[in-house]
């Protein structure tokens, strides 16, 4: 019998134009997953089935992989798309294995003060 391999749900609420900052630690069976050679991607889409991503984060733009066990994914990216409701997920490609660890709703509230 196969185990449940669905990603965990993690909803994000952010003010439009602010910097999204989170740190996620990846474990499998309580053991840190070494991501030092992995590719990590996050996409934000209007709908899960949308053809085009509104935002894509990679290790060259908004994502850093590190930590003592190389299992920490740090997100730091200013999100400046139209206010509204979106969906996001976090995909890790590690040694040819594709695993979506997190997904959820991504809610952006309209900003009041425009940044300079």
């Amino acid at each position: 019998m196969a185990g449940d391999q669905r990603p965990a749900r993690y909803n994000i609420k952010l003010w439009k134009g602010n910097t999204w900052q989170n740190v996620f630690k990846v474990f499998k069976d309580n053991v840190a997953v070494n991501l030092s050679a992995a590719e990590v991607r996050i996409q934000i889409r209007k709908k899960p089935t949308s053809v085009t991503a509104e935002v894509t984060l990679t290790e060259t733009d908004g994502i850093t992989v590190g930590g003592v066990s190389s299992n920490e994914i740090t997100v730091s990216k200013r999100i400046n798309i139209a206010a509204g409701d979106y969906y996001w997920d976090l995909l890790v490609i590690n040694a040819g294995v594709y695993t979506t660890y997190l997904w959820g709703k991504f809610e952006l509230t309209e900003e009041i003060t425009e940044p300079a």
Side-chain angles (χ1 to χ4, degrees):
M1 179 164 30
D4 187 347
Q5 296 186 20
R6 292 176 294 178
R9 185 171 184 157
Y10 188 82
N11 296 328
I12 304 287
K13 291 184 179 186
L14 187 68
W15 212 252
K16 178 184 180 286
N18 283 197
T19 301
W20 174 21
Q21 295 183 305
N22 266 112
V23 177
F24 303 106
K25 294 183 180 184
V26 180
F27 293 89
K28 181 176 181 180
D29 299 325
N30 295 320
V31 176
V33 175
N34 186 324
L35 302 174
S36 59
E39 178 183 347
V40 180
R41 282 188 232 156
I42 292 174
Q43 290 190 332
I44 300 170
R45 295 175 184 258
K46 193 64 178 165
K47 297 178 185 176
T49 57
S50 296
V51 174
T52 304
E54 302 293 324
V55 177
T56 297
L57 285 72
T58 64
E59 288 181 69
T60 59
D61 187 22
I63 294 175
T64 304
V65 173
V68 174
S69 300
S70 295
N71 73 322
E72 291 182 7
I73 299 168
T74 301
V75 177
S76 184
K77 176 74 175 174
R78 183 169 182 245
I79 306 298
N80 199 24
I81 56 178
D85 294 330
Y86 298 86
Y87 292 87
W88 77 285
D89 69 3
L90 183 148
L91 173 68
V92 174
I93 305 165
N94 198 2
V97 177
Y98 289 64
T99 306
T100 301
Y101 284 99
L102 295 167
W103 80 282
K105 290 185 177 183
F106 199 103
E107 180 184 324
L108 276 175
T109 301
E110 190 64 58
E111 64 189 339
I112 299 166
T113 303
E114 293 282 337

